[in-house]
């Protein structure tokens, strides 16, 4: 007996701890093994897998994603009909069980976002516009598996005000076909589109003034990873089998969206044509007239990243910041009311970044003095000095922007600049 053969058979995989639910059935072709000492038989065959209880599979995957799956027992069973040459050796029931601990179960692979580009796109025949996104991600496949994954659809959601409320859908996306090769990097290309911003996304979360969009942008625009959720969606007219489409639509996976630092976003922040008015010496200390006031033209130059190819117009701004003289803070400037602003794009040639120029005007904005000694030195320089003085300002700026999706508020953009102060036009 130098060879052992099996007839075509079906391998059934069950989950004993889930009511012995059938995960799936694999059709195995006839196999012949060489029974020669030291000789290795290489097996290479294609099998068809029929899904079993998809509801149980969905339950197992969701428990795994939530970290509630400590162990998983899997049992494979088949009836093998054996023969050697022309001699039948009977049919034998074969069953084997394996128990996987939580640390042995496959985890969501670490991935690297290679590129993320936003751009304006038409969304209909009546001139409607939306924001499209092209994404490229890479992950390493550590398993000895080759397969082709057909195009998959997804919905992208962001957290609501609190965990008791459903996540908010903001975009749809679809991947191209994905080629997976054993022990190698896998690249996923996807295209998404944001057609509109739901009201629940921009509505403030009581009792704060911040909306779910504000909370998301706060993390994203300050260099922190912002969490989004990706839920499967069967693409229309695709090659995806119906049972897989139903399965992925029940799965929601948290994804860390890499943040973008705004530390170098504003290339210039200055106050020109400054008119600095000293307080009236006869005003009551609690009266607004007891505070110095400043008027001027706010000029901002913001660098627009190459991967943000969307039309942006700044319509208004406000700011809060510290005023310093020779490195010492002496007061605070609070522009609490929205000030009208205009903007225009400056397109630079070659690989240079485009710049967004923003201009606004503040008039008679009061300054809260925190260091009276330093402020007294400033007054003496203004009244008796021979030269203009330069103040420093460290602030955060809120801006209202108009996009194809509507009006948005971007909050707390860090800004630092200079405030040249000439001799006052009037002392009081």
């Amino acid at each position: 007996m130098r060879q052992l053969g099996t007839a075509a058979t079906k391998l059934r995989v069950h989950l004993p701890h889930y009511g012995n639910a059938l995960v799936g059935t694999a059709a195995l072709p006839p196999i012949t093994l060489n029974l020669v000492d030291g000789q290795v038989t290489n097996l290479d065959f294609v099998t068809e897998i029929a899904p079993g209880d998809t509801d149980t599979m969905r339950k197992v995957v969701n428990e795994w994603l939530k970290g509630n799956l400590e162990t998983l027992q899997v049992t494979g069973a088949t009836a093998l009909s054996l023969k050697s040459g022309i001699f039948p050796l009977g049919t034998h029931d074969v069953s084997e069980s394996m128990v996987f601990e939580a640390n042995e179960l496959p985890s969501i692979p670490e991935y690297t976002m290679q590129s993320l580009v936003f751009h304006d796109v038409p969304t209909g025949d009546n001139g409607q516009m939306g924001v499209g996104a092209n994404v490229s991600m890479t992950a390493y496949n550590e398993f000895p598996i080759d397969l082709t994954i057909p195009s998959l659809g997804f919905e992208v959601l962001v957290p609501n005000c609190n965990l008791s409320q459903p996540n908010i859908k903001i975009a749809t996306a679809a991947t191209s076909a994905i080629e997976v090769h054993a022990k190698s990097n896998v690249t996923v290309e996807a295209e998404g589109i944001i057609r509109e911003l739901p009201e629940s996304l921009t509505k403030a979360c009581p009792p704060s003034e911040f909306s779910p969009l504000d909370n998301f942008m706060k993390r994203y625009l300050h260099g922190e990873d912002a969490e989004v959720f990706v839920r499967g969606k069967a693409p229309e007219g695709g090659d995806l089998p119906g049972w897989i489409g139903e399965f992925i639509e029940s799965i929601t996976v948290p994804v860390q969206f890499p943040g973008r630092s705004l530390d170098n976003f504003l290339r210039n922040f200055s106050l020109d044509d400054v008119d600095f008015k000293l307080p009236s010496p006869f005003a009551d200390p609690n009266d607004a007239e007891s505070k110095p006031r400043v008027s001027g033209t706010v000029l901002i130059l913001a660098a627009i990243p190459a991967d943000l190819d969307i039309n942006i117009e700044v319509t208004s701004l406000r700011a809060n910041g510290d005023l310093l003289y020779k490195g010492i803070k002496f007061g605070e400037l609070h522009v609490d009311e929205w000030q009208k602003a205009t903007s225009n794009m400056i397109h630079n040639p070659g690989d240079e970044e485009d710049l967004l120029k923003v201009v606004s005007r503040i008039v008679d904005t009061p300054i809260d003095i925190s260091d009276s000694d330093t402020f007294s030195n400033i007054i003496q320089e203004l009244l008796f000095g021979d030269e203009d003085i330069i103040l420093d300002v460290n602030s955060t700026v809120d801006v209202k922007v108009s996009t194809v999706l509507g009006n948005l508020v971007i909050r707390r953009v860090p800004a630092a600049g200079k405030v040249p102060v000439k001799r006052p036009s009037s002392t009081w």
Side-chain angles (χ1 to χ4, degrees):
M1 181 183 295
R2 302 181 64 83
Q3 287 187 332
L4 182 66
T6 68
T9 187
K10 291 185 177 180
L11 173 66
R12 303 177 307 279
V13 179
H14 296 266
L15 299 177
H17 292 168
Y18 290 85
N20 209 36
L22 178 66
V23 175
T25 303
L28 303 180
I31 297 173
T32 300
L33 303 175
N34 292 316
L35 302 180
V36 178
D37 187 25
Q39 183 172 339
V40 177
T41 302
N42 294 315
L43 301 178
D44 186 2
F45 57 86
V46 176
T47 182
E48 292 186 1
I49 299 176
D53 186 347
T54 55
D55 288 338
T56 299
M57 293 168 58
R58 185 182 303 120
K59 180 179 180 180
V60 171
V61 171
N62 281 321
E63 288 185 358
W64 170 64
L65 290 173
K66 294 176 182 178
N68 298 330
L69 192 64
E70 296 182 357
T71 62
L72 182 66
Q73 182 176 354
V74 179
T75 298
T78 187
L80 281 179
S81 296
L82 303 177
K83 67 176 182 177
S84 179
I86 62 173
F87 300 104
L89 301 178
T91 299
H92 306 267
D93 290 329
V94 178
S95 178
E96 183 70 26
S97 291
M98 293 180 291
V99 177
F100 297 95
E101 300 289 339
N103 58 358
E104 297 174 334
L105 295 172
S107 59
I108 298 176
E110 294 185 1
Y111 57 87
T112 301
M113 189 169 292
Q114 302 291 345
S115 65
L116 174 60
V117 179
F118 293 98
H119 52 93
D120 292 338
V121 293
T123 60
D125 298 329
N126 298 321
Q128 300 101 322
M129 296 291 291
V131 173
N134 291 19
V135 185
S136 177
M137 301 172 62
T138 299
Y140 184 74
N141 172 32
E142 60 179 296
F143 302 102
I145 298 174
D146 284 34
L147 71 155
T148 298
I149 302 175
S151 175
L152 300 176
F154 297 97
E155 294 176 338
V156 181
L157 308 97
V158 298
N160 211 318
C161 291
N162 57 65
L163 296 177
S164 66
Q165 297 174 302
N167 295 324
I168 303 170
K169 173 186 169 183
I170 60 170
T172 57
T175 69
S176 55
I178 305 170
E179 297 293 336
V180 179
H181 298 290
K183 304 289 184 178
S184 61
N185 284 327
V186 179
T187 299
V188 179
E189 305 280 351
E191 294 183 357
I193 186 168
I194 305 173
R195 298 181 181 275
E196 61 180 358
L197 297 180
E199 181 181 355
S200 57
L201 183 67
T202 57
K203 185 177 180 180
C205 299
S208 75
E209 62 175 355
F210 299 107
S211 68
L213 179 61
D214 292 330
N215 294 329
F216 175 85
M217 297 295 286
K218 178 182 177 182
R219 297 183 63 87
Y220 172 69
L221 293 178
H222 289 81
E224 302 177 30
D225 286 351
E227 187 175 58
V228 300
F229 296 92
V230 176
R231 181 171 61 204
K233 179 71 174 177
E236 297 181 2
D239 298 328
L240 195 68
W243 71 270
I244 296 182
E246 294 177 2
F247 179 73
I248 66 172
E249 287 183 352
S250 67
I251 303 299
T252 301
V253 180
V255 175
Q256 296 302 312
F257 196 77
R260 178 192 298 276
S261 175
L262 290 182
D263 290 343
N264 199 33
F265 177 65
L266 297 186
R267 298 302 171 83
N268 181 73
F269 178 79
S270 61
L271 194 63
D272 295 337
D273 303 324
V274 176
D275 183 11
F276 193 82
K277 294 182 179 179
L278 299 179
S280 170
F282 307 109
D284 186 279
N286 296 322
D287 196 313
E289 295 298 324
S290 66
K291 297 181 180 181
R293 295 175 177 273
V294 64
S295 300
T297 300
V298 179
L299 176 61
I300 298 174
L301 287 178
I304 304 300
D307 53 12
L308 191 62
D309 187 18
I310 62 176
N311 186 32
I312 298 176
E313 180 182 354
V314 176
T315 58
S316 54
L317 59 79
R318 63 187 181 188
N320 290 293
D322 297 332
L323 292 172
L324 301 91
Y325 179 58
K326 296 182 178 180
I328 300 175
K329 175 184 173 181
F330 70 89
E332 296 179 357
L333 186 67
H334 297 283
V335 186
D336 296 323
E337 300 296 327
W338 289 105
Q339 307 296 312
K340 184 178 179 181
T342 59
S343 65
N344 64 283
M345 190 71 71
I346 301 174
H347 296 285
N348 290 316
D351 296 332
E352 294 186 43
E353 292 178 311
D354 291 339
L355 297 175
L356 184 67
K357 181 180 179 181
V358 182
V359 179
S360 184
R361 180 76 183 173
I362 60 173
V363 178
D364 288 343
T365 300
I367 299 174
D368 294 326
I369 301 301
S370 59
D371 185 336
S372 57
D373 291 338
T374 301
F375 182 61
S376 296
N377 293 336
I378 295 173
I379 293 178
Q380 292 182 35
E381 290 288 340
L382 288 173
L383 295 178
F384 307 113
D386 297 327
E387 298 180 354
D388 298 335
I389 65 173
I390 301 294
L391 304 179
D392 294 306
V393 57
N394 292 328
S395 68
T396 57
V397 181
D398 297 344
V399 294
K400 285 184 178 180
V401 297
S402 175
T403 72
V404 296
L405 296 173
N407 296 322
L408 304 174
V409 177
I410 301 176
R411 302 179 188 272
R412 301 187 63 80
V413 180
K418 302 290 185 181
V419 180
V421 181
K422 299 181 181 295
R423 295 175 63 83
S425 57
S426 63
T427 54
W428 46 72

